[in-house]
């Protein structure tokens, strides 16, 4: 069983709508949690990096939350744009790196 | 603008051949990572270097894979002999981290565009 579980596996929304992606993990000990955006055919791009003490971190229309007690993180995208169509990968850093399988987001006009 | 570059972008080879992938990290970055991504396994960390020294290569099949950093501007990943199961996209990433710390150090990574490898 993967120690980093992302949901949903895929998501389709209309342009302008908000959405929330989930990341649950069982990795321990915990150092930090990262959300990446990966466009098709490109390398991942860092959106946020959160440590144990951070509950919320924003990057433009992207807001990540972290509950280290329940080991859950979410990535909220506000007022989605067509360019938000991508895979979003959650990575938990411990003594090594644990990757989620990603959520494939499609934003339709 | 500063970015990680990787060559080649695409490589098709036959089973048993040697494959060499190259990465130029962002100037001044002291940490280089190699990743592999497949549809089935997703992203996997293969190895990483700090100040050109290998810190961890436990994610890499040792019998056929080797990673080196001959100088601060070049990292290489070699597969010899290559096998069809090695077909994947290989990403290099670089970052700036405190000396002496492991992967858990708080540093952002910048990914290259990847090398798409197909082994027939």
């Amino acid at each position: 069983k993967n120690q980093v579980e992302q949901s949903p596996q895929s998501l389709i929304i209309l342009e302008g709508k908000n959405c929330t992606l989930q990341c649950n993990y069982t990795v321990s000990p915990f150092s930090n949690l990262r959300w990446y955006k990966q466009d098709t055919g490109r390398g991942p791009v860092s959106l946020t990096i959160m440590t144990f003490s951070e509950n919320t971190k924003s990057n433009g229309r992207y807001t990540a939350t972290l509950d280290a007690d329940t080991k859950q993180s979410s990535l909220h995208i506000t007022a989605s744009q067509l360019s938000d169509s991508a895979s979003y990968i959650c990575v938990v850093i411990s003594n090594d790196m644990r990757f989620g399988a990603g959520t494939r987001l499609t934003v339709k006009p | 603008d500063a970015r990680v570059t990787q060559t080649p972008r695409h490589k098709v080879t036959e089973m048993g051949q040697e494959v060499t992938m190259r990465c130029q990290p962002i100037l001044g970055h002291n940490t280089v990572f190699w990743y592999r991504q497949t549809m089935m396994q997703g992203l996997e960390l293969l190895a990483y270097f700090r100040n050109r020294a290998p810190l961890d290569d436990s994610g890499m099949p040792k019998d056929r894979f080797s990673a080196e950093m001959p100088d601060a501007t070049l990292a290489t990943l070699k597969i010899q002999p290559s096998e069809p199961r090695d077909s994947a996209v290989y990403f290099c990433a670089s970052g700036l981290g405190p000396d002496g710390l492991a992967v858990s150090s708080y540093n952002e990574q910048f990914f290259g565009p990847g090398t798409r490898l197909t082994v027939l």
Side-chain angles (χ1 to χ4, degrees), chain B residues 11-27:
Chain B
K11 175 73 175 180
V12 179
T13 190
E14 292 188 344
M15 183 174 63
Q17 297 297 306
E18 177 179 301
V19 175
T20 298
M21 291 169 273
R22 294 177 174 81
C23 167
Q24 183 172 5
I26 293 173
L27 190 63

Side-chain angles (χ1 to χ4, degrees), chain A residues 31-32 34 36 38 41-47 49-51 54 57 89 91 93-97 99-101, chain B residues 3 9 33 35 37 41-45 48 56 91 102-114 116:
Chain A
S31 174
N32 60 84
R34 307 177 182 202
Y36 287 91
Q38 185 175 22
R42 294 177 176 262
V45 174
S46 177
L47 293 176
I49 302 175
M50 301 178 73
T51 60
E54 295 174 301
K57 183 167 278 190
I89 302 170
V91 184
I93 312 297
S94 175
N95 295 319
D96 56 12
M97 291 184 177
F99 299 88
Chain B
R3 61 180 69 184
R9 292 296 311 277
F33 301 81
Y35 295 90
Q37 187 175 40
Q41 300 293 331
L43 263 175
E44 303 172 273
L45 176 65
Y48 69 98
D56 189 349
F91 289 104
V103 71
S104 58
S105 61
Y106 189 95
N107 61 324
E108 187 169 351
Q109 299 178 32
F110 297 85
F111 282 75
R116 181 175 293 277

Side-chain angles (χ1 to χ4, degrees), chain A residues 10-31:
Chain A
S10 62
L11 182 61
I12 300 174
I13 62 173
L14 292 176
E15 186 179 13
K17 298 296 186 184
N18 304 334
C19 67
T20 299
L21 314 180
Q22 293 290 342
C23 175
N24 298 338
Y25 62 94
T26 59
V27 178
S28 182
F30 174 87
S31 174

